[in-house]
């Protein structure tokens, strides 16, 4: 973290495309207010892969950190001077922090967000911690979810996808010592347990339809309720169709807002050097979602 001159305005922002829906400005600004960081500013910028390198190259010395969302989590490797082990393992960067030299250190706080949202310390080392889990999707966010699940003690992961699992995701899971099983997205609802959906809104609706179809058409879920927990990384328009279907089927549902707040709190810590005010950020996030 780079300190500024007295009275100097320090800048941070979230980049991505599309970006208008992002709650990151709400969360980071709430943190700055609670911490009394009156000289910090946080904005959102529409930046795609083609525009990423020119945007970063044009930032002046007042910039302290960047939050990255899709589709920038992989192209960010091109500007990173130092890459955290978590970002390197997942092949996904969602945080860039400015050094005093002007270079950028790369991090992945999504893994921290998933671990914290799923209970973190209460699951780690627990005798009833799940040894297997299902992940919907296989992209960059799925890799972060898999790394988090491995940290929580999971040893077998089912990847439910529409077509083929991305090779980078399979390699990463194997490097973490996980057994990997690929199933069709149409079969993800065959069992309960721990489920993390990394699907975008449209694909999440398809996953919800699978769950509802199994119940309505007399398939394997008929006559029984699932047991377990589903974390849906989508937080907009909550509850999502997938969240509603999962709750109706008996699963405990965790909002993507929980993951978002925890990963943003870690970003605040990395960028400002101050411990993040988690409750203030969570409150601001909930108010924004409710509106």
């Amino acid at each position: 973290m780079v300190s500024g001159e007295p009275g100097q305005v320090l800048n941070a922002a979230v980049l991505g495309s599309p970006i208008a829906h992002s709650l990151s400005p709400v969360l980071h600004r709430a943190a700055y207010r609670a911490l009394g960081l009156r000289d910090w500013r946080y904005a959102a910028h529409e930046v795609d892969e083609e525009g990423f390198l020119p945007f970063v190259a044009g930032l002046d010395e007042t910039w302290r950190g960047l939050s990255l969302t899709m589709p920038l989590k992989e192209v960010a490797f091109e500007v990173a001077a130092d890459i955290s082990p978590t970002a390197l393992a997942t092949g996904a960067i969602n945080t860039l922090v400015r050094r005093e030299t002007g270079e950028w250190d790369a991090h992945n706080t999504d893994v921290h967000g998933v671990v914290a949202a799923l209970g973190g310390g209460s699951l780690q080392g627990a005798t009833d911690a799940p040894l297997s889990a299902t992940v919907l999707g296989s992209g960059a966010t799925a890799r972060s979810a898999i790394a988090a699940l491995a940290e929580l003690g999971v040893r077998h992961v089912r990847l439910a996808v529409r077509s083929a699992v991305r090779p980078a995701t399979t390699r990463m899971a194997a490097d973490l010592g996980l057994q990997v099983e690929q199933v069709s997205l149409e079969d993800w609802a065959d069992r309960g347990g721990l489920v993390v959906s990394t699907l975008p809104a449209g694909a999440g609706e398809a996953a919800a339809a699978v769950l509802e179809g199994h119940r309505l058409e007399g398939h394997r879920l008929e006559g029984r309720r699932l047991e377990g927990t589903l974390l849906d990384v989508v937080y907009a328009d909550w509850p999502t169709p997938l969240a509603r279907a999962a709750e109706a089927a008996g699963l405990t549902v965790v909002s993507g807002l929980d993951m978002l707040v925890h990963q943003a709190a870690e970003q605040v810590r990395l960028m400002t050097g101050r411990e993040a005010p988690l409750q203030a950020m969570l409150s601001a996030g909930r108010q924004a979602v409710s509106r």
Side-chain angles (χ1 to χ4, degrees):
M1 191 275 296
V2 185
S3 59
E5 298 296 329
Q8 182 183 38
V9 173
L10 303 179
N11 289 293
V14 59
L15 313 182
S17 183
I19 201 62
H21 69 286
S22 176
L23 277 185
S24 291
V26 171
L27 301 178
H28 284 254
R29 291 168 187 168
Y32 297 167
R33 286 193 300 271
L35 292 171
L37 299 176
R38 296 181 178 85
D39 296 330
W40 281 73
R41 302 290 183 269
Y42 192 97
H45 295 277
E46 183 83 16
V47 179
D48 59 15
E49 289 175 288
E50 184 177 349
F52 176 71
L53 294 181
F55 183 93
V56 174
L59 299 179
D60 64 24
E61 69 279 359
T62 66
W63 283 81
R64 296 299 182 259
L66 296 172
S67 308
L68 306 177
T69 186
M70 299 304 292
L72 304 177
K73 294 185 178 183
E74 296 172 343
V75 69
F77 281 92
E78 297 185 34
V79 302
D82 186 71
I83 304 168
S84 74
T86 301
L88 197 60
T90 58
I93 294 168
N94 80 326
T95 309
L96 291 171
V97 179
R98 194 78 167 269
R99 289 182 181 179
E100 292 185 2
T101 60
E103 296 176 303
W104 297 94
D105 290 337
H107 303 268
N108 180 319
T109 67
D110 285 335
V111 174
H112 171 82
V114 174
V115 170
L118 289 176
S122 64
L123 280 180
Q124 291 168 304
T127 57
D128 58 348
L131 295 179
S132 64
T134 300
V135 175
L136 311 186
S138 69
T141 305
R143 293 197 293 275
S144 295
I146 291 167
L149 292 170
E151 187 173 326
L152 290 170
V154 168
R155 291 295 172 259
H156 175 270
V157 62
R158 293 198 318 160
L159 298 177
V161 293
R162 284 177 166 175
S163 53
V165 173
R166 297 188 187 185
T169 303
T170 303
R171 287 195 300 271
M172 188 212 75
D175 289 343
L176 292 173
L178 299 178
Q179 294 181 322
V180 180
E181 174 188 0
Q182 178 179 337
V183 299
S184 167
L185 189 61
E186 296 179 353
D187 295 324
W188 82 266
D190 287 352
R191 67 188 78 170
L194 183 55
V195 182
V196 179
S197 173
T198 67
L199 301 173
E205 291 181 12
V210 170
L211 183 55
E212 293 165 349
H214 272 286
R215 295 184 62 80
L216 294 174
E217 297 171 13
H219 288 210
R220 281 160 284 189
L221 297 182
E222 182 66 23
R224 69 181 178 91
R225 290 172 63 80
L226 294 175
E227 294 182 359
T229 299
L230 179 136
L231 166 61
D232 185 352
V233 302
V234 176
Y235 57 84
D237 300 320
W238 191 264
T240 64
L242 178 56
R244 289 195 298 270
E247 188 171 26
L251 294 173
T252 298
V253 176
V254 179
S255 167
L257 179 62
D258 290 357
M259 171 190 168
L260 183 72
V261 169
H262 282 287
Q263 68 82 24
E266 182 67 2
Q267 289 181 334
V268 169
R269 186 188 70 81
L270 290 168
M271 293 177 190
T272 70
R274 303 276 296 275
E275 287 300 319
L278 191 62
Q279 288 305 313
M281 296 174 71
L282 184 59
S283 177
R286 286 173 175 167
Q287 289 180 20
V289 169
S290 68
R291 289 194 298 265

